[in-house]
Structure formats: C-alpha cells, structure tokens
Amino acid sequence: MPLNRPAETLAPGPQGAAQARRWVVDVCAEIGRIDLRENAELAMSEVVTNAILHGRGPVTVRLRGTRDHPRVEVRDASPEPPALTSDDLILDFIDDLPTFGRGLAIVACFSEAWGAERDGDGKLVWFVPSAAPPEEPTPGVVLGWDDEPDETSFANDETITVHLIEVPVDLMQGTLAHGAELR
C-alpha cells in the first residue's frame, strides 16, 4: 500500500531539526516500522541540518513510498545542489575530526537509497532508511542540475590528507572532545 503523508513545514533553526527527528520517529511508528526508527532519525537529522544551514526556508518534510520502502523527503527553497565535497567521500576521518562536513556520508551509511533532485525553484533531498546499516555506504543519485545522473559512491579506496594550519589549540581540543562525547 502506497504511503503519502502531506508535507510538514519545519520551524526555522535548531527547533526545525528537533521537530524533524520527532516527526520521522512518529512516522516510523505509525507505519509499523520501528526497526527503521534509529537510522531514519539519524539520516533525517543530517539532511535537515544541511537544509537549515546551507539551504533556504521554508524547509518541509514528507513521506512517500511504501511500508517496505518508505521514502523520506526534505525540501528547501535553495536551487543549489547539495555539496558533495571530498569530506563527504571519506569516512575514515570520523574518528579524528569534528562532527561537521560529513552529513551525506552519514546518510549513505544508514540508507538503502538516497539522492537529491531539482524541485521547482528548490531542491529535494530524500532517503530510504535501512533497518540495519549496509555493509558498504549506499551510492547516492543527484539529478537535475546538469541533466546527467551523478552517481556518487562513498565506497572508494581513496584517502586525502588534511593539514590544519594555525588552528587554536583550545578550539581543536574542544572539538575533539566534543566528537568523542558524541561517539
């Protein structure tokens, strides 16, 4: 049976991210998929945070798909595609660097499928949460910005070296401590 929940507009700022997490947990319970709850909440948090920080309001959330494959959609009014930087491609740095700049990599680790597409004057970022994290990060599909699918795989063997220059020691120590607490 197809699912189609009407879009819900989120509050601006951090309240919107909290509202989205509660919404997706409630939706998972409503459709009888509590096995998706944790992964959906984590992926939702990353996608909505990206929309709030890098997109333009209003930000809305919506559910489509089926009970077996629920598709969670986050829309914002920015026409800019999601940034797939090299930081998003490298997962090994999670243990050593702060907890920002890796949102889509996290979505790739907790989704069966995910992607982004142009949506009128804005964009839509979507994911299908997985019941258990896949063995390999799930490639995303980004459509609508250059008419060609841009399949982005996070399962590559490439690494990059990052050199932090002139970072205040107290700021770096605080960032590393914060990251350790979150893990």
Side-chain angles (χ1 to χ4, degrees):
M1 177 173 178
L3 302 172
N4 192 7
R5 298 285 193 280
E8 181 170 327
T9 302
L10 301 177
Q15 307 91 315
Q19 179 185 358
R21 287 190 299 271
R22 284 189 305 273
W23 178 86
V24 79
V25 166
D26 291 346
V27 164
C28 287
E30 286 174 25
I31 66 171
R33 291 300 309 268
I34 59 172
D35 58 319
L36 301 177
R37 187 174 45 207
E38 289 181 17
N39 291 344
E41 184 177 17
L42 183 55
M44 174 65 92
S45 185
E46 296 299 329
V47 173
V48 168
T49 298
N50 283 348
I52 291 169
L53 292 177
H54 307 294
R56 198 172 18 196
V59 176
T60 61
V61 293
R62 178 179 180 166
L63 180 72
R64 290 184 176 190
T66 66
R67 183 182 180 284
D68 291 333
H69 301 285
R71 176 174 148 148
V72 178
E73 301 177 344
V74 177
R75 185 190 188 283
D76 72 74
S78 171
E80 296 298 317
L84 301 173
T85 65
S86 58
D87 284 351
D88 288 319
L89 299 175
I90 305 302
L91 300 175
D92 293 335
F93 79 109
I94 290 174
D95 290 333
D96 299 321
L97 289 179
T99 56
F100 56 85
R102 57 191 171 109
L104 293 177
I106 289 173
V107 172
C109 288
F110 293 96
S111 301
E112 290 180 7
W114 69 273
E117 55 198 58
R118 293 282 313 242
D119 185 41
D121 60 349
K123 73 175 158 295
L124 185 73
V125 179
W126 58 269
F127 64 92
V128 177
S130 61
E135 289 185 28
E136 296 288 328
T138 304
V141 178
V142 178
L143 300 171
W145 281 274
D146 56 1
D147 298 330
E148 292 292 323
D150 178 20
E151 293 188 13
T152 305
S153 173
F154 291 104
N156 64 36
D157 293 331
E158 296 178 31
T159 61
I160 61 170
T161 302
V162 176
H163 299 278
L164 301 175
I165 301 172
E166 296 184 23
V167 175
V169 173
D170 59 334
L171 177 63
M172 189 65 191
Q173 287 176 330
T175 300
L176 292 172
H178 180 69
E181 290 170 3
L182 289 173
R183 283 193 299 276

